[in-house]
């Protein structure tokens, strides 16, 4: 069963594998699984980039200390590239979208067909927000609702009401301050740090190439759900960085998920990923299920696009191949898109990428999500989680308006959001229930830190190393 | 709805309000804004409840309109204010299409 090639020379002289070199025994690797697909996966799938980054415990104060959360606000949130909105949120000149992070707020607005700016969302008179948080609209000037000072779309000061009383206000000095803006794959990123690296440098050339291959600019948001989670934002993020928890937390998924043989990769300082193969049995369950079971259990993020398709294995079929073939046809039909060039792996597998600090991109087709996590500025034990499901835009070129966010109450199940796949909603509920216990447990614990697996939890360590880099820079 | 006042006013050929178009009208002295969001018609007051500015140049979203002046957003179906600086709703009116004409109940 184990077809993973051992590359000579990377083992210790002592035949003990080096730290981080061990993989799930007796299971094919993700690369093995992908290599036997009928429609071949692209290069960005067929590559590995794991790196051992140490095995020390991670101190827990970062999750439970409100002072750490305050420090984060003044350090990492001010210096990192953050996904503020999608371009389709502001398609026309004058369209704006308000993005908040902690106490900061930005009006992200299209000032010309190909230019987007992000203004600090505060009047330069006495500070009133120029637009309420969490809103969108279109305007040709930003007029303050308090005394009526206004700014043009390009940020220049337009009017000081009763200018005679403000001889000390030179309009030239009263342009709206800006954050930096960059666009990639239909995403609008902003960064408050005027001397930060470019987004391309921040991501690194390899990940930039992955982005370019995904063409996520050709997707649109068909469902957007937001919910407050009962934990520190970093715990929420880390809960989605590994498939290690699948067998215990989501046993219903394990039947059709290669959890223990998922692949983990790190790229530079800000991006990591896993590839979690679907349509294959969990190594934890070898010998306990048939291919028929795998086919039946397959969970999708976008089952709405599929309708209630019959799933049958046929002669000598593998569940994985049957699902891939079936999805391709049904997705094309249901969403009016052309997927003929899309590989089996892209149709089926869960690709989870994190762009530090708070965005997950899932560039696959059956699990086509974006996650965004933001700290609750008034409570370090809470965060706002958003899941956006994206579909390829229809072949007729029409671009549906992005879905309005559905804001769930804290006590609601994800399944209650209209349009949410029931199986997927149940998974998110299972994750949320763990998180409240984890937050409380860390506070209750006698142990000063958390302990991580070398391979399956490498993304957590990679993420926490970036946290340390920004929050506690070495002098 | 008052059953004694069932007088729909015929206001516009349906073809003159394509998807994502707006049309300001005065019906019985009331400033009304007709909106077509992805084929769904709405008739709302054209007067923002925040500062009485017209809504007609506001952006139409999925089920909402945003006042261009200070950015208050209103639910097109209920008229409810969705964000500051508005807190009060705007009026909404029943709208229907009969024989390819848009009719509004004012
Ligand atoms: S605070 Fe904005 S005009 Fe006075
Ligand atoms: S007049 Fe509409 S928001 Fe002020
Ligand atoms: Fe999970």
């Amino acid at each position: 069963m184990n077809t993973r090639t051992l590359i000579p020379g990377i083992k210790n002289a002592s035949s003990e594998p080096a730290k981080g070199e061990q993989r799930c025994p007796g299971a094919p690797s993700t690369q093995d699984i992908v290599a036997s697909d009928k429609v071949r996966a692209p290069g960005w799938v067929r590559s590995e980039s794991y790196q051992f980054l140490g095995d020390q415990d991670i101190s827990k104060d970062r999750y439970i200390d409100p002072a750490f959360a305050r420090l984060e606000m003044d350090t990492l949130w001010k210096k990192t590239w953050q996904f503020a909105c999608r371009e389709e949120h502001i398609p026309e000149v004058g369209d704006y979208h308000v993005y908040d992070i902690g106490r900061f707020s930005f009006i992200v607005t299209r000032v010309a067909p190909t230019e987007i700016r992000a203004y600090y969302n505060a009047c330069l008179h006495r500070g009133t927000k120029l637009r309420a948080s969490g809103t969108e609209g279109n305007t040709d000037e930003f007029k303050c609702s308090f005394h009526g000072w206004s700014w043009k779309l390009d940020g220049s000061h337009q009017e000081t009401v009763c200018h005679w009383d403000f001889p000390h206000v030179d309009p030239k000095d009263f342009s709206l301050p800006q954050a930096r803006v960059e666009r990639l794959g239909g995403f609008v990123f902003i960064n408050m740090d005027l001397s930060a690296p470019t987004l391309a440098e921040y991501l690194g050339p390899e990940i930039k190439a992955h982005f370019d291959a995904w063409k996520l600019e050709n997707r649109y948001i068909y469902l957007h759900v937001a919910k407050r989670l009962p934990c520190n934002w970093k715990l929420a993020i880390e809960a989605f960085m590994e498939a290690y928890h699948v067998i215990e937390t989501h046993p219903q998924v394990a039947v059709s998920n290669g959890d223990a043989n998922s692949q983990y990769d790190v790229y530079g300082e800000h991006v990591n990923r896993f590839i979690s193969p679907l349509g294959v049995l969990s190594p934890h369950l070898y010998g306990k299920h048939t291919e028929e079971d795998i086919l039946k259990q397959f969970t999708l993020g976008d089952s709405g696009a599929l309708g209630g398709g019959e799933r049958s294995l046929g002669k000598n079929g593998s569940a994985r191949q049957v699902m891939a073939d079936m999805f391709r046809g049904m997705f094309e039909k249901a969403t009016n898109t052309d997927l003929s060039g899309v590989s089996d792996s892209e149709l089926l597998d869960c690709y989870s990428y994190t762009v530090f600090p708070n965005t997950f991109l899932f560039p696959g087709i059956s699990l086509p999500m974006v996650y965004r996590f933001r700290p609750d500025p008034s409570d370090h034990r809470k965060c706002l989680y958003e899941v956006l499901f994206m579909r390829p835009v229809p072949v007729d070129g029409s671009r549906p308006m992005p879905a309005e966010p559905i804001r769930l109450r804290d006590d609601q199940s994800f399944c209650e959001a209209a349009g949410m796949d029931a199986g997927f909603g149940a998974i998110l509920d299972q994750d949320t229930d763990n998180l409240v216990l984890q937050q409380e447990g860390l506070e209750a614990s006698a142990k000063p830190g958390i302990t991580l697996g070398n391979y399956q939890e490498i993304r957590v360590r990679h993420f926490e190393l970036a946290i340390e880099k920004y929050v506690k820079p070495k002098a | 709805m008052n059953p004694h006042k069932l007088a729909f006013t015929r206001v516009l050929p349906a073809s003159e309000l394509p998807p994502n178009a707006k049309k300001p009208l005065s019906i019985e002295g009331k400033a009304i804004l007709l909106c077509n969001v992805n084929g769904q018609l709405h008739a709302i007051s054209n007067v923002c409840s925040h500062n009485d500015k017209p809504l007609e140049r506001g952006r139409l979203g999925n089920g909402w309109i945003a006042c261009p002046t200070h950015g208050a957003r209103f639910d097109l179906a209920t008229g409810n204010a969705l964000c500051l600086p508005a807190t009060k709703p705007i009026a909404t009116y029943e709208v229907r299409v009969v024989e390819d004409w848009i009719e509004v109940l004012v």
Side-chain angles (χ1 to χ4, degrees):
Chain A
M1 197 78 190
N2 190 351
T3 52
R4 207 169 69 84
T5 336
L6 291 173
I7 304 155
I10 60 165
K11 288 171 76 179
N12 280 350
S14 67
S15 95
E16 270 290 296
K19 284 179 174 179
E21 284 300 318
Q22 300 270 39
R23 299 292 179 270
C24 180
S29 71
T30 294
Q31 290 300 320
D32 295 333
I33 292 167
V34 167
S36 49
D37 287 342
K38 214 162 62 189
V39 183
R40 188 176 156 89
W44 60 268
V45 175
R46 288 180 292 108
S47 58
E48 293 191 64
S49 182
Y50 170 78
Q51 201 189 334
F52 176 71
L53 296 171
D55 56 8
Q56 300 292 307
D57 278 5
I58 305 282
S59 67
K60 68 178 185 180
D61 56 314
R62 66 192 65 198
Y63 308 110
I64 63 177
D65 180 359
F68 195 92
R70 284 194 294 275
L71 206 53
E72 285 174 345
M73 199 46 68
D74 287 323
T75 56
L76 89 92
W77 294 108
K78 282 166 93 166
K79 290 186 174 302
T80 47
W81 284 102
Q82 295 160 46
F83 156 45
C85 65
R86 290 271 302 167
E87 290 217 36
E88 72 232 50
H89 283 120
I90 46 172
E92 307 289 338
V93 171
D95 286 351
Y96 61 83
H97 177 101
V98 179
Y99 168 74
D100 283 9
I101 180 66
R103 67 177 182 273
F104 299 105
S105 181
F106 296 90
I107 301 175
V108 183
T109 184
R110 194 177 289 271
V111 301
T114 58
E115 190 182 359
I116 294 172
R117 292 193 185 168
Y119 300 121
Y120 281 76
N121 183 13
C123 179
L124 299 183
H125 176 220
R126 279 162 58 190
T128 307
K129 271 186 182 169
L130 293 170
R131 287 294 183 269
S133 287
T135 198
E136 283 178 354
N138 177 287
T139 194
D140 49 21
E141 62 166 13
F142 294 104
K143 191 190 225 347
C144 180
S145 60
F146 199 170
H147 312 92
W149 288 30
S150 59
W151 285 266
K152 293 189 193 137
L153 214 50
D154 68 5
S156 59
H157 187 40
Q158 173 144 294
E159 191 188 0
T160 312
V161 176
C162 299
H163 190 248
W164 57 264
D165 209 11
F166 295 85
H168 45 298
V169 169
D170 182 346
K172 281 202 314 297
D173 302 330
F174 274 71
S175 291
L176 292 175
Q178 299 176 36
R180 284 170 63 195
V181 174
E182 289 209 43
R183 299 181 287 166
L184 186 60
F187 294 88
V188 180
F189 286 87
I190 71 166
N191 193 327
M192 285 179 251
D193 181 1
L194 300 180
S195 57
T198 63
L199 181 59
E201 290 164 348
Y202 185 89
L203 299 174
E206 196 166 356
I207 289 301
K208 176 66 170 51
H210 291 199
F211 258 92
D212 293 342
W214 299 335
K215 303 226 177 327
L216 294 176
E217 60 274 25
N218 297 334
R219 306 255 187 125
Y220 74 96
I221 301 162
Y222 75 89
L223 179 64
H224 184 169
V225 179
K227 190 182 173 188
R228 200 158 69 136
L229 298 182
C231 62
N232 185 267
W233 68 280
K234 298 186 293 305
L235 291 179
I237 281 182
E238 291 166 11
F240 294 94
M241 283 182 152
E242 35 88 359
Y244 180 46
H245 70 285
V246 166
I247 191 67
E248 201 63 30
T249 299
H250 315 297
Q252 79 278 18
V253 170
V255 179
S256 64
N257 177 210
D259 53 357
N261 48 349
S262 295
Q263 175 180 317
Y264 297 85
D265 297 304
V266 299
Y267 301 89
E269 283 178 331
H270 302 117
V271 182
N272 55 52
R273 75 166 181 185
F274 72 47
I275 302 179
S276 198
L278 298 187
V280 295
L281 189 62
S282 161
H284 292 288
L285 301 175
Y286 281 173
K288 296 188 184 137
H289 289 276
T290 63
E291 286 288 303
E292 295 280 357
D293 296 339
I294 300 173
L295 198 55
K296 271 202 263 74
Q297 281 296 318
F298 205 108
T299 307
L300 283 167
D302 189 6
S303 65
L306 278 175
E310 271 279 307
R311 300 180 183 183
S312 100
L313 206 49
K315 260 197 248 124
N316 311 323
S318 73
R320 181 170 170 86
Q321 198 60 58
V322 170
M323 289 309 277
D325 294 344
M326 198 174 95
F327 283 1
R328 186 171 289 104
M330 296 182 76
F331 268 117
E332 281 182 334
K333 213 150 78 225
T335 61
N336 190 21
T337 46
D338 177 12
L339 301 176
S340 52
V342 174
S343 66
D344 298 345
S345 172
E346 289 167 277
L347 280 165
L348 297 179
D349 295 332
C350 180
Y351 309 120
S352 158
Y353 283 72
T354 317
V355 177
F356 188 82
N358 65 337
T359 301
F360 281 72
L361 301 173
F362 297 77
I365 300 282
S366 83
L367 291 160
M369 296 83 68
V370 175
Y371 294 168
R372 178 167 61 185
F373 297 85
R374 286 178 282 176
D376 182 328
S378 60
D379 187 349
H380 69 284
R381 304 167 89 233
K382 299 246 171 355
C383 64
L384 182 68
Y385 165 63
E386 289 165 283
V387 51
L388 296 79
F389 291 85
M390 305 218 298
R391 270 186 196 156
V393 291
V395 275
D396 62 20
S398 64
R399 187 177 259 289
M401 278 185 189
E404 286 302 305
I406 298 171
R407 178 68 193 258
L408 295 171
R409 294 190 316 272
D410 292 7
D411 63 325
Q412 276 184 299
S413 157
F414 280 98
C415 299
E416 290 177 61
M420 176 73 85
D421 174 79
F424 195 81
I427 291 173
L428 294 179
D429 287 343
Q430 289 168 328
D431 288 318
T432 310
D433 293 344
N434 281 341
L435 285 168
V436 66
L437 293 171
Q438 189 187 13
Q439 179 74 42
E440 292 176 2
L442 283 172
E443 289 162 0
S445 177
K447 184 166 172 276
I450 61 170
T451 302
L452 297 172
N454 285 339
Y455 186 63
Q456 296 177 87
E457 292 176 312
I458 189 63
R459 293 179 71 193
V460 176
R461 182 175 300 282
H462 182 255
F463 170 68
E464 287 301 346
L465 288 174
I467 293 284
E468 285 166 16
K469 175 193 148 177
Y470 281 96
V471 178
K472 298 178 176 164
K474 306 225 160 42
Chain B
M1 195 176 72
N2 178 353
H4 301 292
K5 194 188 149 284
L6 276 178
F8 275 88
T9 311
R10 196 163 264 211
V11 292
L12 198 71
S15 58
E16 288 183 24
L17 194 73
N20 304 319
K22 288 165 292 190
K23 179 90 182 169
L25 296 164
S26 172
I27 307 174
E28 295 187 11
K30 294 198 173 104
I32 294 193
L33 187 64
L34 280 181
C35 309
N36 180 340
V37 183
N38 305 322
Q40 173 79 45
L41 300 187
H42 298 278
I44 59 172
S45 165
N46 192 12
V47 182
C48 181
S49 70
H50 170 241
N51 210 358
D52 296 344
K53 298 289 192 295
L55 290 169
E56 63 196 61
R57 291 184 55 244
R59 176 171 169 194
L60 283 182
N62 255 327
W64 50 262
I65 188 165
C67 177
T69 304
H70 308 111
R73 268 200 311 173
F74 299 95
D75 184 313
L76 289 168
T78 64
N80 287 336
L82 298 174
C83 72
L84 287 170
T87 51
K88 293 188 278 299
I90 54 170
T92 59
Y93 304 92
E94 255 187 85
V95 59
R96 68 182 186 188
V97 176
V98 176
E99 293 156 351
D100 294 327
W101 279 81
I102 299 172
E103 299 186 345
V104 179
L105 181 64
V106 176

